[in-house]
Amino acid sequence: MKNSLRILLLLSSSLALLCAAPARAALAVQSWTQPDGARVLFVANHSLPMLDVSVQFDAGQRRDPAGKAGLAELTVASLTRGVEGGAGAPLSEAQILDGFADVAAQQHGGAGQDRAGVSLRTLSSRPERELALGLLARLLAHPAFPQAGLERDKALTIASLREDATKPEAIAEKAFMAAAYGSHPYGTDASQASVQAITREDLLAFHRSHYVANRAVIALIGDLTEEQARAIAAALTRELPQGAPLPALPAVVAPEGREIRIAHPASQSHILIGAPALVRGDPDFFALTVGNYVLGGGGFVSRLTDEVREKRGLSYSVYSGFSPLAQPGPFQIGLQTKKEQTDEALRVTRATLQRFLQEGPSAAELKAAKDNLAGGFALRIDSNAKLLENLSVIGFYGLPLDYLDQWIARVRAVTIEQVRAALRKHVQTGALVSVIVGEEGATPAANP
C-alpha cells in the first residue's frame, strides 16, 4: 500500500509538472521500421519520469464486416476482459486492471473510422515500466475474449445506441454520415441488430486479421533512450502475427446534394451541412485549415458566427471544419436554431458559405487567421498525450517526420489564392448534404 501511494503521489506531481511545462515546437522525432514490419516513432523527453505509448492498427470502423458494424469497437473494448496464457498464466479482467493500477499506469483503448488501438501512460522507472508494458503486450497478443465480457459489452453498446436514438445531435450525425457516404463503410453505423449479431468468433477473427505486427504503428514519448525505445517497441509486437494484405475499400463517391428533415421533440433544430472533402496528407490541408478558420473554425471571429449569430441572432454558436481521413473525410457546418427559424438559418448559412467560396478571405481575415493559428499552435502539443496523438497520426497516415516542426511555417505561407482554389476544389456545393433534426411534421428517425 505504501509503495502504491508513493507511485500515485509521484505520478500526480509529474502530471502537474507536465501541464505546466512549456511546449516545444521543435521535436527530434526518430523513426524506424522493425524487422516484423511495425513502424515506430519516438521522441525522447527527459523532463519528467514518464512514458506514453500508443499502438495503432488499421482496425477502425471502416474494417467492420457487412452486417457486423460495431465489431471494431467491441474488439478493442474486449482486449482487457481477459488474457490467455501466452508468456504467462491466464489473467482475468480484474487481474489486468489491478496490474495496471498497482504501478499507477493508465491504459486506454478506442476505435475511430480508420484506426484502432491502445495507449499507455506509465512511470518510466524500470520496475513500473516493465510491468505495465508487459501487460500491454500480453493483452494485445493474447486476448481471451471471454463470452461473459462480450455479452456485457454488447449490452452496454446497445444501451448507448438506444440513448443516442433520443438525442437530436446523435441522430443528425448518424443521418449525415449515412447520406454523405451511402454504402461506404464511413457511412455505416452500428445498430442494435449489427451489434447483437457479433459473436466471440467474430472478435477472434477480426483480431487475428487486423492486430498484426506488420501493420502496427507504435509511438513513444518520454524518459527513454533510443536503445530502450527500440527494445520496448520490439517487445510490444514480438508475439503478434504477420497479416495478409487487407482488401481494398470502395472509393468514396460524392453524394447528390439533398436535404433530409427528421422530426424530433427538441426545442431547437439541429442542422448539419457538408460532404466528403479531404484525405489526410492532402497538400491543400494548410490552405483549407486557414480558410476554414475564417469561415467557421475561428469561433466568435468567423464569418458564419458574424452572419448567423451576431447580425441575426439565429444561433448561439455555429462552426465549420474538415476531418481528414484515409479516404475523403467530411467537411461539415453545424448549428442549432429555434424551430421557427430553421429555414432562415439554412438560407443565411448557405449564402455565407457560397459567398465565401466565391470570394475567399480578405487580406485582413487571412492575416488574422494565420496569426491566431500560429499563435495557438503550442496548445496542440503542450502535453505528452497530445504529442503522442500527433505522432500516431504522423505514423499511421505516413506524414513527414517534420510535420509538426513545419506546421507554423506552412500556415504562414498560405495565400488568398491558395485558399480560394482549395475551397473550390474540395467543397462542391452541388454535393452538399443538409440534415435538419427537430422540425415539426418531418419524417421521424428510424430505430437504431
Side-chain angles (χ1 to χ4, degrees):
M1 178 64 72
K2 290 182 178 180
N3 186 54
S4 297
L5 181 60
R6 178 188 66 81
I7 293 171
L8 286 169
L9 289 171
L10 179 57
L11 182 58
S12 298
S13 61
S14 297
L15 286 170
L17 285 170
L18 180 61
C19 293
R24 297 180 302 161
L27 294 174
V29 180
Q30 301 176 64
S31 181
W32 60 88
T33 299
Q34 298 183 157
D36 60 12
R39 187 179 184 194
V40 185
L41 292 90
F42 167 58
V43 172
N45 181 0
H46 302 294
S47 62
L48 294 169
M50 294 185 64
L51 169 64
D52 285 87
V53 181
S54 169
V55 188
Q56 299 285 308
F57 303 90
D58 187 349
Q61 297 158 23
R62 65 177 182 154
R63 295 297 179 182
D64 283 339
K68 300 290 179 75
L71 178 58
E73 292 179 278
L74 280 174
T75 300
V76 73
S78 297
L79 291 176
T80 58
R81 302 303 180 230
V83 169
E84 294 179 333
L91 297 175
S92 67
E93 179 179 12
Q95 289 172 316
I96 294 170
L97 298 179
D98 285 346
F100 285 124
D102 284 346
V103 291
Q106 300 171 353
Q107 186 273 324
H108 301 284
Q113 289 281 10
D114 291 333
R115 56 196 173 106
V118 297
S119 63
L120 176 72
R121 170 167 288 182
T122 179
L123 294 169
S124 59
S125 48
R126 184 171 179 176
E128 290 78 20
R129 181 187 77 212
E130 289 187 348
L131 193 151
L133 289 167
L135 276 175
L136 186 69
R138 291 192 64 193
L139 66 87
L140 280 174
H142 304 289
F145 296 134
Q147 186 67 39
L150 173 59
E151 294 302 325
R152 186 182 70 203
D153 288 335
K154 287 169 62 172
L156 289 171
T157 301
I158 290 172
S160 178
L161 289 171
R162 288 174 176 161
E163 182 179 359
D164 283 347
T166 69
K167 298 177 179 178
E169 63 274 18
I171 294 169
E173 184 64 27
K174 183 174 182 177
F176 172 83
M177 293 299 287
Y181 287 95
S183 61
H184 188 277
Y186 285 165
T188 304
D189 199 13
S191 67
Q192 293 185 50
S194 70
V195 171
Q196 201 62 263
I198 293 170
T199 66
R200 180 175 181 271
E201 288 67 33
D202 292 325
L203 267 66
L204 289 166
F206 191 86
H207 178 266
R208 187 166 53 248
S209 297
H210 296 86
Y211 285 70
V212 295
N214 52 310
R215 285 195 293 274
V217 176
I218 304 171
L220 307 99
I221 178 168
D223 185 21
L224 296 176
T225 65
E226 180 185 344
E227 181 181 6
Q228 290 170 328
R230 286 181 177 271
I232 288 169
L236 286 172
T237 59
R238 183 173 296 129
E239 297 188 49
L240 292 178
Q242 291 289 300
L246 295 174
L249 292 168
V252 171
V253 178
E256 293 185 7
R258 60 186 175 125
E259 187 175 284
I260 301 168
R261 296 186 180 238
I262 301 171
H264 193 278
S267 61
Q268 290 190 317
S269 291
H270 291 245
I271 301 172
L272 295 176
I273 303 171
L278 187 62
V279 173
R280 178 71 72 173
D282 190 294
D284 289 332
F285 171 80
F286 289 97
L288 292 172
T289 298
V290 174
N292 180 69
Y293 189 92
V294 178
L295 174 62
F300 291 121
V301 298
S302 71
R303 287 262 190 111
L304 284 169
T305 295
D306 186 52
E307 295 292 336
V308 177
R309 172 192 160 116
E310 299 300 330
K311 291 182 178 179
R312 297 171 178 85
L314 295 171
S315 179
Y316 178 76
S317 66
V318 56
Y319 68 88
S320 67
F322 291 88
S323 301
L325 294 169
Q327 294 176 270
F331 162 73
Q332 190 179 85
I333 295 173
L335 67 149
Q336 299 173 30
T337 190
K338 294 179 181 178
K339 288 184 177 181
E340 60 269 22
Q341 298 177 333
T342 298
D343 288 337
E344 184 183 4
L346 279 168
R347 179 186 61 78
V348 173
T349 300
R350 288 166 174 163
T352 303
L353 172 62
Q354 184 63 44
R355 187 166 60 253
F356 190 67
L357 292 176
Q358 293 171 350
E359 301 172 356
S362 67
E365 287 175 324
L366 184 77
K367 182 180 185 304
K370 294 197 291 188
D371 287 347
N372 276 281
L373 286 165
F377 176 72
L379 297 178
R380 297 171 182 260
I381 57 171
D382 63 353
S383 70
N384 275 10
K386 292 180 183 179
L387 282 170
L388 186 73
E389 173 60 14
N390 275 290
L391 288 178
S392 297
V393 168
I394 290 169
F396 187 86
Y397 292 103
L399 303 179
L401 292 181
D402 64 352
Y403 175 78
L404 294 175
D405 286 342
Q406 297 299 318
W407 201 93
I408 292 176
R410 295 287 300 277
V411 163
R412 291 205 177 278
V414 169
T415 66
I416 291 177
E417 291 72 23
Q418 288 173 336
V419 172
R420 289 173 179 161
L423 286 168
R424 291 171 185 171
K425 175 181 176 182
H426 293 275
V427 181
Q428 304 296 322
T429 54
L432 292 177
V433 170
S434 299
V435 174
I436 304 97
V437 175
E439 188 173 2
E440 300 290 350
T443 303
N447 291 326

